[in-house]
PDB file of all heavy atoms in Angstrom:
ATOM      1  N   ALA S 125      87.389  89.129 108.258  1.00 84.00           N
ATOM      2  CA  ALA S 125      87.755  87.786 108.688  1.00 84.00           C
ATOM      3  C   ALA S 125      89.274  87.630 108.776  1.00 84.00           C
ATOM      4  O   ALA S 125      89.790  86.950 109.663  1.00 84.00           O
ATOM      5  CB  ALA S 125      87.170  86.755 107.725  1.00 84.00           C
ATOM      6  N   ILE S 126      90.002  88.260 107.863  1.00 87.00           N
ATOM      7  CA  ILE S 126      91.453  88.127 107.820  1.00 87.00           C
ATOM      8  C   ILE S 126      92.135  89.088 108.788  1.00 87.00           C
ATOM      9  O   ILE S 126      92.980  88.693 109.592  1.00 87.00           O
ATOM     10  CB  ILE S 126      91.975  88.367 106.377  1.00 87.00           C
ATOM     11  CG1 ILE S 126      91.463  87.275 105.441  1.00 87.00           C
ATOM     12  CG2 ILE S 126      93.504  88.419 106.352  1.00 87.00           C
ATOM     13  CD1 ILE S 126      91.947  85.880 105.764  1.00 87.00           C
ATOM     14  N   ALA S 127      91.791  90.370 108.702  1.00 86.00           N
ATOM     15  CA  ALA S 127      92.456  91.381 109.537  1.00 86.00           C
ATOM     16  C   ALA S 127      91.522  92.562 109.735  1.00 86.00           C
ATOM     17  O   ALA S 127      91.582  93.547 108.986  1.00 86.00           O
ATOM     18  CB  ALA S 127      93.775  91.825 108.890  1.00 86.00           C
ATOM     19  N   PRO S 128      90.652  92.505 110.737  1.00 85.00           N
ATOM     20  CA  PRO S 128      89.648  93.558 110.923  1.00 85.00           C
ATOM     21  C   PRO S 128      90.231  94.906 111.326  1.00 85.00           C
ATOM     22  O   PRO S 128      89.565  95.929 111.207  1.00 85.00           O
ATOM     23  CB  PRO S 128      88.759  92.987 112.037  1.00 85.00           C
ATOM     24  CG  PRO S 128      89.624  92.012 112.761  1.00 85.00           C
ATOM     25  CD  PRO S 128      90.528  91.421 111.726  1.00 85.00           C
ATOM     26  N   HIS S 129      91.472  94.934 111.790  1.00 86.00           N
ATOM     27  CA  HIS S 129      92.067  96.168 112.287  1.00 86.00           C
ATOM     28  C   HIS S 129      92.715  97.004 111.196  1.00 86.00           C
ATOM     29  O   HIS S 129      93.164  98.130 111.465  1.00 86.00           O
ATOM     30  CB  HIS S 129      93.128  95.829 113.339  1.00 86.00           C
ATOM     31  CG  HIS S 129      94.236  94.969 112.810  1.00 86.00           C
ATOM     32  ND1 HIS S 129      94.049  93.633 112.494  1.00 86.00           N
ATOM     33  CD2 HIS S 129      95.538  95.252 112.528  1.00 86.00           C
ATOM     34  CE1 HIS S 129      95.191  93.127 112.057  1.00 86.00           C
ATOM     35  NE2 HIS S 129      96.094  94.079 112.059  1.00 86.00           N
ATOM     36  N   LEU S 130      92.769  96.504 109.965  1.00 87.00           N
ATOM     37  CA  LEU S 130      93.512  97.188 108.907  1.00 87.00           C
ATOM     38  C   LEU S 130      92.620  98.100 108.076  1.00 87.00           C
ATOM     39  O   LEU S 130      91.432  97.848 107.910  1.00 87.00           O
ATOM     40  CB  LEU S 130      94.186  96.164 107.985  1.00 87.00           C
ATOM     41  CG  LEU S 130      95.280  95.298 108.600  1.00 87.00           C
ATOM     42  CD1 LEU S 130      95.824  94.331 107.558  1.00 87.00           C
ATOM     43  CD2 LEU S 130      96.402  96.161 109.157  1.00 87.00           C
ATOM     44  N   ASP S 131      93.243  99.138 107.496  1.00 88.00           N
ATOM     45  CA  ASP S 131      92.587  99.977 106.502  1.00 88.00           C
ATOM     46  C   ASP S 131      92.849  99.353 105.137  1.00 88.00           C
ATOM     47  O   ASP S 131      93.880  99.597 104.500  1.00 88.00           O
ATOM     48  CB  ASP S 131      93.154 101.398 106.565  1.00 88.00           C
ATOM     49  CG  ASP S 131      92.567 102.305 105.489  1.00 88.00           C
ATOM     50  OD1 ASP S 131      91.617 101.871 104.797  1.00 88.00           O
ATOM     51  OD2 ASP S 131      93.070 103.442 105.332  1.00 88.00           O
ATOM     52  N   TRP S 132      91.915  98.547 104.674  1.00 89.00           N
ATOM     53  CA  TRP S 132      92.124  97.763 103.458  1.00 89.00           C
ATOM     54  C   TRP S 132      92.187  98.624 102.200  1.00 89.00           C
ATOM     55  O   TRP S 132      92.617  98.149 101.151  1.00 89.00           O
ATOM     56  CB  TRP S 132      91.034  96.701 103.329  1.00 89.00           C
ATOM     57  CG  TRP S 132      91.285  95.513 104.208  1.00 89.00           C
ATOM     58  CD1 TRP S 132      90.981  95.382 105.520  1.00 89.00           C
ATOM     59  CD2 TRP S 132      91.926  94.291 103.825  1.00 89.00           C
ATOM     60  NE1 TRP S 132      91.378  94.164 105.998  1.00 89.00           N
ATOM     61  CE2 TRP S 132      91.964  93.456 104.975  1.00 89.00           C
ATOM     62  CE3 TRP S 132      92.466  93.811 102.640  1.00 89.00           C
ATOM     63  CZ2 TRP S 132      92.514  92.186 104.962  1.00 89.00           C
ATOM     64  CZ3 TRP S 132      93.023  92.541 102.613  1.00 89.00           C
ATOM     65  CH2 TRP S 132      93.047  91.746 103.769  1.00 89.00           C
ATOM     66  N   THR S 133      91.763  99.883 102.277  1.00 87.00           N
ATOM     67  CA  THR S 133      91.862 100.750 101.099  1.00 87.00           C
ATOM     68  C   THR S 133      93.314 101.057 100.769  1.00 87.00           C
ATOM     69  O   THR S 133      93.614 101.476  99.642  1.00 87.00           O
ATOM     70  CB  THR S 133      91.106 102.074 101.331  1.00 87.00           C
ATOM     71  OG1 THR S 133      91.698 102.784 102.437  1.00 87.00           O
ATOM     72  CG2 THR S 133      89.639 101.816 101.626  1.00 87.00           C
ATOM     73  N   ARG S 134      94.206 100.869 101.725  1.00 89.00           N
ATOM     74  CA  ARG S 134      95.636 101.113 101.481  1.00 89.00           C
ATOM     75  C   ARG S 134      96.383  99.852 101.083  1.00 89.00           C
ATOM     76  O   ARG S 134      97.599  99.896 100.846  1.00 89.00           O
ATOM     77  CB  ARG S 134      96.284 101.697 102.740  1.00 89.00           C
ATOM     78  CG  ARG S 134      95.849 103.114 103.097  1.00 89.00           C
ATOM     79  CD  ARG S 134      96.501 103.558 104.389  1.00 89.00           C
ATOM     80  NE  ARG S 134      97.923 103.218 104.401  1.00 89.00           N
ATOM     81  CZ  ARG S 134      98.543 102.649 105.439  1.00 89.00           C
ATOM     82  NH1 ARG S 134      97.867 102.328 106.543  1.00 89.00           N
ATOM     83  NH2 ARG S 134      99.837 102.384 105.376  1.00 89.00           N
ATOM     84  N   CYS S 135      95.717  98.728 101.008  1.00 92.00           N
ATOM     85  CA  CYS S 135      96.387  97.457 100.710  1.00 92.00           C
ATOM     86  C   CYS S 135      96.694  97.361  99.213  1.00 92.00           C
ATOM     87  O   CYS S 135      95.789  97.329  98.374  1.00 92.00           O
ATOM     88  CB  CYS S 135      95.513  96.280 101.145  1.00 92.00           C
ATOM     89  SG  CYS S 135      96.272  94.667 100.834  1.00 92.00           S
ATOM     90  N   ALA S 136      97.985  97.317  98.880  1.00 92.00           N
ATOM     91  CA  ALA S 136      98.402  97.174  97.488  1.00 92.00           C
ATOM     92  C   ALA S 136      98.172  95.753  96.990  1.00 92.00           C
ATOM     93  O   ALA S 136      97.871  95.529  95.817  1.00 92.00           O
ATOM     94  CB  ALA S 136      99.877  97.541  97.345  1.00 92.00           C
ATOM     95  N   GLY S 137      98.329  94.780  97.864  1.00 94.00           N
ATOM     96  CA  GLY S 137      98.169  93.387  97.485  1.00 94.00           C
ATOM     97  C   GLY S 137      98.616  92.479  98.613  1.00 94.00           C
ATOM     98  O   GLY S 137      99.036  92.944  99.684  1.00 94.00           O
ATOM     99  N   ILE S 138      98.529  91.190  98.367  1.00 96.00           N
ATOM    100  CA  ILE S 138      98.774  90.185  99.404  1.00 96.00           C
ATOM    101  C   ILE S 138      99.895  89.251  98.965  1.00 96.00           C
ATOM    102  O   ILE S 138      99.917  88.793  97.813  1.00 96.00           O
ATOM    103  CB  ILE S 138      97.498  89.368  99.674  1.00 96.00           C
ATOM    104  CG1 ILE S 138      96.346  90.302 100.098  1.00 96.00           C
ATOM    105  CG2 ILE S 138      97.736  88.314 100.738  1.00 96.00           C
ATOM    106  CD1 ILE S 138      94.993  89.615 100.130  1.00 96.00           C
TER     107      ILE S 138
END
Side-chain angles (χ1 to χ4, degrees):
I126 295 297
H129 60 289
L130 295 179
D131 177 8
W132 281 83
T133 62
R134 291 177 45 226
C135 181
I138 302 169

